[in-house]
Amino acid sequence: EYFDADFREALLAACRFHWTRISPAVFGAMFQLVKSKEARRADGEHYTSETNILKVLEPLFLDQLREEADRLVANKTTSQKALRQFRDNLATMQFVDPACGCGNFLVVAYRELRRIETRIIVELRRREKLTTASFDVSLDQKLTIDQFHGFEINWWPARIAETAMFLVDHQANRELAAAVGDAPDRLPITITAHIRHDNALRLAWDTVLPRPAGPTYVFGNPPFLGDHTRTKEQLADLKAAWGGKKTLGRLDFVTGWHSKALQLLATRPGEFAYVTTNSITQGDQVARLFEPIYEGGWRIKFGHRTFAWDSEAPGKAAVHCVIVGFTKDRGVRQALWDYENPHSPPNRILLKTGINAYLVDGPSVLVRTRPRPLSPQLPEVAKGSMPTDGGNFVVKEDEVDQVRSDRILSKYLRPYIGTDQLLYGKKRWCLWLVDLDPADLNRSAELRRRIAAVRKVRSESTAQTTRDYQHDHLFRQFGFVSDSRFVALPEVSSENRRYLPAGFLDPDCITSNKIYAAEDGDGLLFAIASSSMFITWMKTVGGRMESRLSLSSTITWNNFPLPDMDEGTRQAVIKAGHGIRAARGK
């Protein structure tokens, strides 16, 4: 009853359409277009462009297979048996995208593998001169879409992926027909890609994936969800993927797929590679993730340093990614690509030592959190204070004249330094009431008003500890304060800076919780923090806020490998710091 005239015409038009002109990879972009940004963000969905898909697939297995095919075809002494063996080996492999979405990775992988196989079939027929070749190309063509597996948590993308695989198979058959004059007959359909609608982090991969004669390759673009954006259910999924471990820290949601790949490939040959957020190569995530990877006998096969994620869809997300591929083969030549900026084309780096977990050409060391500084010449740094005051203890530039006109309030006015003040010279003050004279409450109506407003704000807080806090005239969280000059370091700073813009502040300044600080009477710490050595260390092992540098006391500062300094070196460093402050003064 639904098959009316309009339906019939639409079906005939679809049959007449030249589907070989369509890239099945476009389905992911189309699906992204019809979903809201909020819905995509909740699931961590970011559909990948074909360019970036090939950055994963080519160094993982395509380049090696193409090179082998080129060698076999170019070598006049290659036997027909060797060509057939290569073709048959393709049919022993298994390809898995455990977060497949609309199937873009699987589609591109199958298309490129079929092109390699077609080249071998063409060469076989040329050498056999059709005297012993099969008249039925179905007997020559071995690679099939049922070697391809996908897991997808949403039903509709999973069905799109199935359709896309049928389409790319049809396109590959047309290319084969153009090359040898014939193509396999797929009707009636008996072979299909295995796209499973399921939660990949709860699924036992080994029980649903057949054990092939050849290697299993795992790849894809799992969901990007950080510590602050994932739901309680997603955190439970992540813990389940890691075997119930409670020491996950702030591991990105994407790392659950690393754990599942490690489990799958512990008992079968294969390799894996993912597009992920660059956070897995930064800060305290690195040791947490790479320690079990190294313990499993894996090493990095290839990597792409930070680049901007891209897709064919409008409204694409602003995400900075890396690609890391893993192998157990110690003989593989490692490959690493760098980007001048996140939107630049990749440049391959000439490696001297090898790729470590920070995507640096260097030894495989992991920088773990450290409670105290590694160097005895470095003191600990501490964060500043946070008011939780609804804006009543913090005084902005347009309010300061009014506060200064109150002789009682003005006694408690102190510079309040956060990142904007340290980096950009903006002005801000606070009411620092640690030494409040109770009599002053009766002398200033504005002081009473502000304290009452703070009490009201805290009483309405969702945090029990804030509601129970009894000291309405004090900052909610106390941090670093000093009676002498001190160094101040911004928690977050631009990745484009050549040096970290450290501050050297007077003791009357109060720092916010976005500043790390330590007493620095002679200016040594200011000079060290301002050095190219320190920011290089910070860029290499520190965390990031999006792409900006993020200072951590336990990772960056406490692990800083400051060499032992004799007194002469120490004084030279201090003098260099004086020169920096003199230059700023000009």
Side-chain angles (χ1 to χ4, degrees):
E1 62 182 291
Y2 298 104
F3 194 74
D4 56 16
D6 290 340
F7 199 132
R8 177 179 181 277
E9 287 303 315
L11 181 60
L12 290 173
C15 292
R16 287 191 294 266
F17 188 80
H18 291 285
W19 289 98
T20 52
R21 300 174 183 174
I22 298 296
S23 168
V26 77
F27 287 136
M30 292 171 61
F31 189 67
Q32 178 171 325
L33 182 61
V34 300
K35 288 193 73 173
S36 69
K37 290 182 179 180
E38 294 75 19
R40 295 199 308 269
R41 180 177 178 82
D43 286 335
E45 292 177 351
H46 303 286
Y47 289 94
T48 316
S49 68
E50 187 168 322
T51 297
N52 289 337
I53 290 172
L54 289 173
K55 289 177 185 177
V56 176
L57 300 182
E58 287 181 333
L60 185 62
F61 57 84
L62 284 177
D63 285 345
Q64 181 179 347
L65 293 173
R66 286 171 182 158
E67 289 171 7
E68 179 66 7
D70 289 345
R71 185 187 66 80
L72 291 171
V73 171
N75 190 344
K76 295 180 180 180
T77 64
T78 299
S79 67
Q80 295 175 20
K81 180 180 179 181
L83 289 168
R84 284 193 291 269
Q85 183 64 49
F86 176 83
R87 176 204 60 189
D88 293 347
N89 283 342
L90 294 178
T92 69
M93 299 175 182
Q94 192 172 75
F95 306 91
V96 184
D97 182 348
C100 70
C102 294
N104 288 15
F105 276 85
L106 297 173
V107 161
V108 174
Y110 183 72
R111 182 194 69 198
E112 296 303 310
L113 287 165
R114 281 292 302 272
R115 287 172 178 172
I116 295 171
E117 184 191 49
T118 293
R119 188 178 182 202
I120 296 297
I121 292 172
V122 169
E123 182 62 18
L124 267 171
R125 292 205 167 193
R126 187 187 71 79
R127 296 195 183 199
E128 294 168 342
K129 295 185 174 61
L130 296 178
T131 56
T132 60
S134 168
F135 290 105
D136 182 2
V137 75
S138 298
L139 300 178
D140 290 331
Q141 197 274 307
K142 305 293 187 180
L143 189 76
T144 59
I145 58 175
D146 71 344
Q147 295 171 239
F148 290 75
H149 303 261
F151 306 146
E152 171 54 40
I153 198 169
N154 293 310
W155 181 85
W156 184 233
R159 302 289 76 81
I160 293 176
E162 286 182 348
T163 303
M165 290 300 290
F166 284 128
L167 177 55
V168 74
D169 185 51
H170 170 70
Q171 292 175 335
N173 289 339
R174 300 320 305 159
E175 289 184 13
L176 179 61
V180 300
D182 194 12
D185 184 3
R186 298 297 197 215
L187 296 176
I189 293 175
T190 58
I191 297 175
T192 181
H194 303 283
I195 310 299
R196 187 182 182 98
H197 172 218
D198 212 328
N199 183 339
L201 297 188
R202 296 286 185 172
L203 188 65
W205 294 7
D206 199 45
T207 63
V208 298
L209 294 173
R211 191 174 296 272
T216 297
Y217 293 100
V218 181
F219 47 79
N221 174 19
F224 301 165
L225 291 167
D227 179 57
H228 299 296
T229 55
R230 63 193 176 207
T231 65
K232 291 181 179 179
E233 292 76 15
Q234 289 164 337
L235 177 57
D237 289 344
L238 182 61
K239 288 183 177 180
W242 280 103
K245 292 180 181 178
K246 296 182 179 180
T247 57
L248 294 174
R250 293 188 175 180
L251 279 179
D252 194 290
F253 191 54
V254 75
T255 65
W257 278 260
H258 290 82
S259 179
K260 298 294 286 188
L262 294 178
Q263 295 167 34
L264 175 72
L265 299 177
T267 57
R268 64 171 74 192
E271 297 177 342
F272 70 101
Y274 296 129
V275 183
T276 74
T277 44
N278 58 5
S279 58
I280 71 162
T281 61
Q282 300 165 356
D284 68 347
Q285 284 208 59
V286 181
R288 295 176 186 273
L289 172 60
F290 279 82
E291 189 168 53
I293 290 175
Y294 289 159
E295 288 174 351
W298 296 90
R299 69 195 291 253
I300 294 176
K301 182 179 184 180
F302 65 93
H304 281 262
R305 289 176 176 167
T306 297
F307 64 95
W309 172 87
D310 195 13
S311 80
E312 282 86 0
K316 51 195 176 188
V319 180
H320 288 89
C321 302
V322 294
I323 297 171
V324 188
F326 298 93
T327 183
K328 288 185 177 180
D329 186 350
R330 299 290 161 177
V332 167
R333 184 182 176 186
Q334 294 174 299
L336 180 63
W337 287 268
D338 190 25
Y339 296 76
E340 186 174 340
N341 66 66
H343 298 277
S344 300
N347 296 307
R348 186 161 178 174
I349 296 173
L350 180 63
L351 296 172
K352 296 180 180 179
T353 303
I355 310 171
N356 66 24
Y358 302 91
L359 299 188
V360 169
D361 181 9
S364 292
V365 295
L366 297 175
V367 179
R368 297 173 177 82
T369 57
R370 181 181 292 273
R372 288 174 295 279
L374 174 68
S375 169
Q377 301 181 74
L378 285 181
E380 294 183 35
V381 293
K383 281 193 173 187
S385 303
M386 185 169 64
T388 314
D389 66 332
N392 292 285
F393 288 156
V394 177
V395 180
K396 299 177 182 177
E397 279 194 89
D398 59 353
E399 300 175 301
V400 69
D401 288 339
Q402 175 192 358
V403 172
R404 282 176 174 157
S405 67
D406 186 314
R407 66 181 183 84
I408 302 300
L409 279 182
S410 62
K411 293 194 304 182
Y412 303 105
L413 194 64
R414 303 274 289 274
Y416 187 47
I417 309 299
T419 50
D420 282 354
Q421 290 68 46
L422 199 63
L423 299 178
Y424 310 116
K426 295 183 178 180
K427 303 296 183 182
R428 187 173 62 163
W429 296 261
C430 70
L431 295 175
W432 192 248
L433 303 172
V434 173
D435 299 319
L436 175 64
D437 180 352
D440 284 341
L441 289 172
N442 297 322
R443 297 173 182 146
S444 172
E446 179 62 12
L447 178 59
R448 293 195 303 274
R449 185 195 69 78
R450 287 179 179 259
I451 291 176
V454 170
R455 184 185 304 118
K456 183 176 186 300
V457 167
R458 292 176 181 172
S459 69
E460 297 170 351
S461 172
T462 56
Q464 181 69 39
T465 54
T466 299
R467 294 198 301 272
D468 293 344
Y469 191 62
Q470 300 296 316
H471 309 289
D472 298 326
H473 66 292
L474 298 178
F475 274 39
R476 173 63 186 87
Q477 295 179 15
F478 276 90
F480 176 86
V481 291
S482 177
D483 293 327
S484 61
R485 299 204 76 183
F486 62 92
V487 64
L489 312 175
E491 183 179 38
V492 177
S493 180
S494 170
E495 73 279 13
N496 298 319
R497 297 183 186 274
R498 294 178 59 197
Y499 307 99
L500 183 69
F504 196 54
L505 304 180
D506 293 325
D508 68 322
C509 293
I510 304 300
T511 54
S512 82
N513 61 304
K514 298 299 182 181
I515 298 291
Y516 284 98
E519 292 187 0
D520 188 23
D522 57 8
L524 174 68
L525 303 184
F526 171 85
I528 290 171
S530 301
S531 68
S532 60
M533 180 181 175
F534 185 77
I535 200 168
T536 299
W537 174 254
M538 187 173 173
K539 287 181 176 181
T540 303
V541 306
R544 300 275 176 141
M545 181 70 70
E546 295 171 345
S547 61
R548 293 168 292 163
L549 304 179
S550 181
L551 177 64
S552 162
S553 59
T554 57
I555 289 288
T556 318
W557 183 264
N558 288 353
N559 281 295
F560 183 54
L562 179 67
D564 291 336
M565 295 183 293
D566 57 29
E567 188 57 30
T569 303
R570 179 186 176 89
Q571 291 304 320
V573 172
I574 291 171
K575 183 178 179 181
H578 291 330
I580 292 171
R581 297 203 301 277
R584 288 183 181 177
K586 295 178 181 180

